[in-house]
Amino acid sequence: MEKEQIGSIIGKVTSFSDKEGTYSGNFSNHYPKGTEYYNIKDVDKNEAIAIKINDGSFIKANYEGEYAGSIFDWGKVVWCTAGSFLLVLVIVIVIVKNNRKPIGNLSNTKMKDR
């Protein structure tokens, strides 16, 4: 791409991962963290953007839809599951503790004279 076609910076790669399904947001499985991307003049950014590569030149990246892996965030699932488990555990402990009958409490019983 020609530099005259490049508009303003719109973001940069915030994380790199080559493991399938482990990324979301401004990630890349090809470009290193910090790689900048730009608007292309007279092109909607939902259609294509320009990526600045190491030698200072730009390449065009066409939008082909959302990454399917970003639909499901495993980090949130793990935290929600752990939180739900802890909540249920606390509720069970409270219920069991409140419904327990004292065993062997003889201090309130009177012994009959023999």
Side-chain angles (χ1 to χ4, degrees), residues 39-107:
N39 278 323
I40 300 172
K41 292 178 183 173
D42 301 322
V43 176
D44 185 338
K45 69 180 179 182
N46 293 320
E47 183 181 324
I49 60 172
I51 298 173
K52 187 175 186 179
I53 56 177
N54 289 340
D55 65 3
S57 63
F58 294 87
I59 60 168
K60 183 177 182 180
N62 294 310
Y63 182 73
E64 295 178 0
E66 275 199 43
Y67 169 66
S70 66
I71 295 170
F72 203 74
D73 185 352
W74 282 104
K76 288 181 183 176
V77 170
V78 169
W79 284 110
C80 288
T81 302
S84 298
F85 176 76
L86 288 175
L87 180 63
V88 168
L89 183 64
V90 168
I91 290 170
V92 168
I93 289 171
V94 168
I95 289 171
V96 168
K97 199 171 189 180
N98 287 336
N99 289 332
R100 188 184 306 173
K101 294 179 181 178
I103 299 173
N105 188 355
L106 299 176
S107 63

Side-chain angles (χ1 to χ4, degrees), residues 14-60:
T14 56
S15 61
F16 173 87
S17 179
D18 58 357
K19 295 179 183 169
E20 184 68 29
T22 60
Y23 28 75
S24 64
N26 294 329
F27 73 91
S28 176
N29 61 353
H30 184 77
Y31 297 102
K33 184 177 177 178
T35 300
E36 298 173 338
Y37 28 90
Y38 294 77
N39 278 323
I40 300 172
K41 292 178 183 173
D42 301 322
V43 176
D44 185 338
K45 69 180 179 182
N46 293 320
E47 183 181 324
I49 60 172
I51 298 173
K52 187 175 186 179
I53 56 177
N54 289 340
D55 65 3
S57 63
F58 294 87
I59 60 168
K60 183 177 182 180

